[in-house]
C-alpha cells in the first residue's frame, strides 16, 4: 500500500469535464491511498478570501490577457472563435485528476473510500487560517424563473465563512447581486456563464448583516466525483450519469464509500466540486462551494470477482455509509447513450424528477433482488415500508432522486 | 381542559372521504385533548389477526348480505347501481371523526399535537396482545406497470407483525398474491378496488419464510389526518391537499405537531390510515397498515392572532417536530380548486413530482420570508445549502414532495 499526494496545479486539474483522453495526474494500484486537493470553481467569487496567497489556487486560476493557466473550461470546443471561452463553459467544475488505476478494465468496479475531508484555509494573511465558501443562486437554479422580488431575474452570490473550532458550521458573511464581469480576454459575462471569471469587488454592492443568527451545520463533501465515461473524450461535468460525476449528494463525505462501474481502461477517476454544505435538491444551483482536501483509498474489484458480492451486476454508482446504501436515479440513467451525439446539450431541456424516481426505484429493486436475494414481491414490500427516496438535485440537467435503504434492516436474526 | 375519548364504531368513523357535511363524532374546545382510536382499512387482508374478537373493528367492518355497518366507502355515489359498491371506492381510508372544534372558522389555523401513538393489539385469543399490519403492493403502486417477475401485473399482500417488546420493529409473517374476492353483495373484486373486502384465506396461497432476517424499524404515524375542505361535501380521502389529508409522511407521529388552515366552520378534523412503518415515497401503494390509537391535543389559533407567529399567512399543512419544520408540496397545491368539478377523478392522471417540487419550494420560501423575515435572496441561499427536499409519496394521485428546514439553524447567536 502506498500513500500518494496530489496537489492542485494547472497540470493536475482539468476544468469542466470528465475525460478518458487527458494525461493522468496520478497512477496508482488497488489498495493505495491518496491525499487529493480540490478547488472550488467558485473561488473567484471572492478572490481575496479564497485565492489570494494560495500558491495552488493562484496557479490554477491564473488568467491574464497573456496567460490563462487552464485554458479549456468545459467539454465544448477548445479552439475559437468562442462565445464564452475555451470549452465554452459546457461543464464548470474544477476536477483534480484523472487518477488512473492500474489494471482497471471496463466491467470492473472501483471502490473509493473517503477517509477524511478537510477544508482548505485561506492563505491571505488578512484571513489566515479561516475558511470560506460561495453560494451562487444562479441562472440554472430551480428558483431562477420563479422569483418574486425585483430585479428579476437576478443571480446572487453569498459568501460564507466556515467555523471549524467545534462542530463545524457555516455563517453568511455578505452577498451581492451579480453584475456583468469582463474577463481578461475582454468577454463580458452578464451572467455566471463561464467558470473562473474573477469578480471585481468594485463592480458589486456587498450587503452585510445577512442571514443574521443563522448557522448552517457543515456537511463537507465532494459534489462531483466519478470516472470517465466511454462515450466521448470530453464529457461535461454538469450532468451526473452511470459513472458518477456531479451527483451532488451531501452524504458523499467522510466515512462514505462510493462504488463506480469502470467504463474505460484505467478507470480515470476525478474529484472536485467540493462543498461545505448542501441541502437535498441544491435548489439555487450551487452548495456552499468551498475548497477541500480529502484522503481516499482506492480498491479495484475485478469483474470476475463480483458475483455474490455487493457489486454483482452494478452498472451505476452506489453509496455505502455505516448506516445505509443509496442508489442514484437520474432523468436518464445514461444520458450519453440515450440522447446520442448531442446528448450533452440536449439533456438540459429534458430534466424531470419523474423518470429519476423510476430509475431510482429500478436500481434499488435490482439491489435488493440481486444483492439481498429477495423475490420481487419481497423487494417491493420492503421498498414501500422501509426505503426512503429523496430529491438529490434539480439543477444538474440530469435531475436526480436517490433511494436509500438502511443496512440495519438486514441480517438481524 | 377536557380529555375526551373517541372509540371506533360505525357511528364514529366515516370511510373513504373527508366531509364537512357528516355529523360530528366529537365536539371539543381549543385546549382539549382526545384519545382517538383509528382502524386500518386493510384489516380484512387478514381478518383473523386484525379484526376477529375486536368489538370496535368487528362493528365497523361488519358486512353481510343483510347488513353493511358502514355502507358508504368513498366520495363517489352513495346510491346505486354500483360498479364497486357505495361510494365506489373513490377514497379508501377509514377515518375517525369528524372532530368539530368550537368557534373554528375559515381563516383560522388548527394545531394538532400528537402526544402519543400506540398500536392496537389483536383481540383474537390466538394472537392476544400481538400487533399486526398489512402492506399491499397494489395497482396504484409506482411499481405496478413496471414489474419484472411473472405473473404481471399482480397485487401482493404482505402481513407483518409488530414487535413492541423493545424498540419496536416489524417483521414479515407471510404474503400472498391477491385473487378475486367476492364481497357479501356478490360483487367480485379482481383487484384491490374497494376497501374492507374480506379476503377468504382459502382463496389465497400463503407464502411464509419471506423477508427472512429483515427487521423494519417502526415509524408509527397517521398517513391521513386533516380537515374537511370547503369545495365539496364529500372529498376522496386519497389525494392530499391544502387542508392536509393523505399526506403519508411517516414523520407525522408521536411528538409531531401539525398545523392546518381551517376551511369550514368547526374545522371538521378526521384521522386514520394508521401506519406502523413507511418509507419516503410509499412506493408500492401502502405502508404497513396497522390500527393505532393516538392521544391528541387541539389548539385553535384565530385568524386575528396569526400575525407575527409561525402561522402567519399559512394556507397549507405545516409539520413541526422538535428537529425541523416541513411543508408539503403537491402536484396541485389545491387540486379541488385547480381541476374543477371533476377534480377528484382527474387528479389521478396528472400526477408528477416536478410541480410538487415547485410547490414545496414556494411554500418553504414563503415560510422563510414570512416567518423568519428573510429577504428572498437570503431564503434562496438557505434553501440551497440547508433545506432538504424528499419524495413523500408517488401513489396518492396528488404526488408529494416535502421540504424541511432544521430548527437549530435559527436564533443561534
Amino acid at each position: 500500500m502506498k500513500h500518494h499526494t496530489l496537489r492542485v496545479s494547472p497540470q493536475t486539474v482539468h476544468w469542466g469535464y470528465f475525460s478518458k483522453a487527458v494525461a493522468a495526474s496520478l497512477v496508482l494500484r488497488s489498495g493505495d491511498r491518496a491525499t487529493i486537493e480540490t478547488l472550488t470553481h467558485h473561488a473567484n467569487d471572492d478572490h481575496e478570501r479564497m485565492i489570494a496567497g494560495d500558491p495552488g489556487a493562484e496557479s490554477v486560476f491564473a488568467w491574464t490577457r497573456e496567460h490563462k493557466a487552464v485554458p479549456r473550461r468545459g467539454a465544448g470546443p477548445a479552439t475559437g472563435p468562442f462565445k464564452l471561452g475555451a470549452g465554452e463553459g459546457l461543464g464548470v467544475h474544477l476536477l483534480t485528476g484523472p487518477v488512473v488505476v492500474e489494471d482497471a478494465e471496463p466491467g470492473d468496479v472501483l471502490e473509493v473510500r473517503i477517509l477524511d475531508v478537510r477544508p482548505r484555509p485561506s492563505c491571505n494573511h488578512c484571513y489566515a487560517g479561516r475558511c470560506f465558501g460561495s453560494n451562487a443562486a444562479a441562472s440554472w437554479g430551480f428558483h431562477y424563473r420563479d422569483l418574486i422580488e425585483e430585479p428579476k431575474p437576478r443571480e446572487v452570490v453569498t459568501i460564507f465563512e466556515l467555523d471549524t473550532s467545534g462542530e463545524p458550521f457555516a455563517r453568511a458573511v455578505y452577498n451581492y447581486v451579480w453584475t456583468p464581469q469582463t474577463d481578461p480576454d475582454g468577454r463580458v459575462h452578464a451572467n455566471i456563464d463561464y467558470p473562473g471569471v474573477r469578480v471585481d469587488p468594485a463592480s458589486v454592492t456587498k450587503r452585510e448583516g445577512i442571514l443574521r443568527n443563522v448557522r448552517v451545520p457543515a456537511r463537507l463533501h465532494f459534489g462531483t466525483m466519478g470516472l470517465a465515461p466511454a462515450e466521448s473524450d470530453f464529457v461535461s461535468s454538469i450532468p451526473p450519469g452511470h459513472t458518477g460525476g456531479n451527483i451532488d449528494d451531501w452524504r458523499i463525505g467522510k466515512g462514505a464509500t462510493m462504488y463506480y462501474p469502470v467504463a474505460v481502461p484505467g478507470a480515470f477517476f476525478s474529484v472536485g466540486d467540493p462543498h461545505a454544505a448542501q441541502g437535498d435538491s441544491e435548489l439555487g444551483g450551487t452548495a456552499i462551494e468551498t475548497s477541500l482536501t480529502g484522503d481516499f483509498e482506492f480498491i479495484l474489484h475485478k469483474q470476475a470477482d463480483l458475483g455474490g458480492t455487493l457489486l454483482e451486476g452494478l452498472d451505476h454508482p452506489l453509496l455505502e455509509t455505516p448506516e445505509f446504501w443509496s442508489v442514484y436515479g437520474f432523468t436518464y440513467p445514461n444520458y450519453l447513450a440515450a440522447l446520442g451525439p448531442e446528448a450533452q446539450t440536449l439533456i438540459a431541456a429534458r430534466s424531470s424528477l419523474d423518470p429519476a424516481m423510476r430509475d431510482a426505484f429500478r436500481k434499488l429493486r435490482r439491489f435488493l433482488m440481486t444483492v439481498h436475494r429477495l423475490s420481487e414481491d419481497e423487494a417491493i414490500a420492503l421498498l414501500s415500508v422501509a426505503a426512503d427516496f429523496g430529491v438529490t438535485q434539480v439543477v444538474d440537467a440530469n435531475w436526480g432522486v436517490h433511494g436509500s435503504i438502511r443496512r440495519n434492516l438486514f441480517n438481524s436474526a
Side-chain angles (χ1 to χ4, degrees), chain A:
Chain A
M1 194 274 278
K2 205 171 154 187
H3 193 117
H4 309 263
T5 297
L6 187 52
R7 299 194 190 286
V8 288
S9 76
Q11 291 73 45
T12 59
V13 303
H14 47 109
W15 201 328
Y17 54 86
F18 281 84
S19 176
K20 65 186 181 192
V22 296
S25 296
L26 173 66
V27 178
L28 52 70
R29 311 181 85 155
S30 178
D32 284 359
R33 294 184 174 186
T35 295
I36 303 179
E37 296 182 353
T38 69
L39 292 174
T40 173
H41 57 292
H42 279 272
N44 251 334
D45 292 346
D46 185 330
H47 182 278
E48 286 305 299
R49 283 180 169 81
M50 292 189 274
I51 296 177
D54 180 329
E58 286 187 340
S59 75
V60 168
F61 281 90
W63 185 6
T64 62
R65 184 175 293 271
E66 296 71 35
H67 174 67
K68 188 180 179 188
V70 185
R72 182 179 197 151
R73 305 182 181 183
T79 51
F82 301 118
K83 207 175 139 206
L84 304 174
E88 293 289 22
L90 185 63
V92 295
H93 307 95
L94 258 173
L95 301 176
T96 308
V99 175
V100 165
V101 180
E102 282 187 18
D103 300 328
E105 294 292 334
D108 299 344
V109 171
L110 185 64
E111 174 181 351
V112 181
R113 298 181 183 173
I114 305 177
L115 307 176
D116 194 25
V117 184
R118 301 174 293 280
R120 184 183 183 95
S122 182
C123 293
N124 183 332
H125 63 88
C126 301
Y127 305 106
R130 294 163 66 186
C131 303
F132 298 95
S134 170
N135 170 256
S139 65
W140 59 90
F142 189 79
H143 67 291
Y144 189 65
R145 297 286 167 197
D146 197 8
L147 287 165
I148 49 182
E149 292 188 345
E150 296 293 347
K152 293 190 283 197
R154 65 190 179 276
E155 295 182 307
V156 177
V157 170
T158 305
I159 302 299
F160 284 85
E161 177 164 3
L162 191 61
D163 185 317
T164 58
S165 57
E167 195 66 31
F169 66 92
R171 190 193 289 282
V173 183
Y174 67 90
N175 70 9
Y176 58 85
V177 175
W178 182 271
T179 55
Q181 300 293 325
T182 305
D183 72 30
D185 296 330
R187 290 189 191 85
V188 178
H189 301 272
N191 277 96
I192 304 175
D193 58 11
Y194 192 77
V197 173
R198 180 167 169 175
V199 172
D200 174 6
S203 73
V204 298
T205 305
K206 292 188 184 180
R207 301 178 296 198
E208 299 186 337
I210 56 163
L211 288 169
R212 225 182 270 275
N213 300 330
V214 172
R215 283 178 185 221
V216 177
R219 295 170 164 178
L220 304 184
H221 66 283
F222 298 99
T224 305
M225 185 164 105
L227 309 185
E231 282 80 359
S232 186
D233 277 354
F234 294 88
V235 177
S236 167
S237 66
I238 293 172
H242 62 298
T243 55
N246 191 24
I247 291 176
D248 277 326
D249 182 359
W250 56 267
R251 298 161 189 84
I252 303 177
K254 180 176 178 174
T257 296
M258 285 295 295
Y259 300 94
Y260 303 102
V262 174
V264 300
F268 282 70
F269 168 88
S270 298
V271 57
D273 191 25
H275 292 167
Q278 188 209 290
D280 281 335
S281 84
E282 202 184 22
L283 193 130
T286 66
I288 299 178
E289 313 279 328
T290 310
S291 298
L292 299 174
T293 297
D295 295 334
F296 301 87
E297 182 171 299
F298 299 86
I299 299 166
L300 181 66
H301 300 271
K302 295 300 290 178
Q303 183 167 26
D305 304 330
L306 302 182
T309 78
L310 185 71
L311 306 177
E312 184 177 344
L314 188 74
D315 62 358
H316 55 79
L318 173 70
L319 166 68
E320 182 180 71
T321 77
E323 290 80 34
F324 50 81
W325 295 288
S326 292
V327 299
Y328 298 99
F330 305 117
T331 304
Y332 291 88
N334 179 348
Y335 77 100
L336 293 166
L339 298 180
E342 300 303 315
Q344 300 192 44
T345 48
L346 288 177
I347 184 65
R350 308 294 185 89
S351 311
S352 173
L353 288 174
D354 296 331
M357 174 69 209
R358 171 105 12 233
D359 185 33
F361 152 57
R362 289 175 176 169
K363 285 169 175 168
L364 203 48
R365 174 178 58 184
R366 189 206 69 82
F367 180 79
L368 294 175
M369 293 178 68
T370 306
V371 174
H372 291 283
R373 309 290 175 209
L374 300 185
S375 71
E376 185 175 32
D377 292 337
E378 293 175 299
I380 300 289
L382 197 57
L383 287 171
S384 200
V385 307
D388 295 312
F389 292 82
V391 177
T392 330
Q393 50 76 26
V394 287
V395 295
D396 297 334
N398 202 15
W399 288 3
V401 168
H402 53 276
S404 302
I405 189 102
R406 286 157 285 169
R407 295 174 63 175
N408 66 0
L409 269 63
F410 300 94
N411 301 317
S412 46

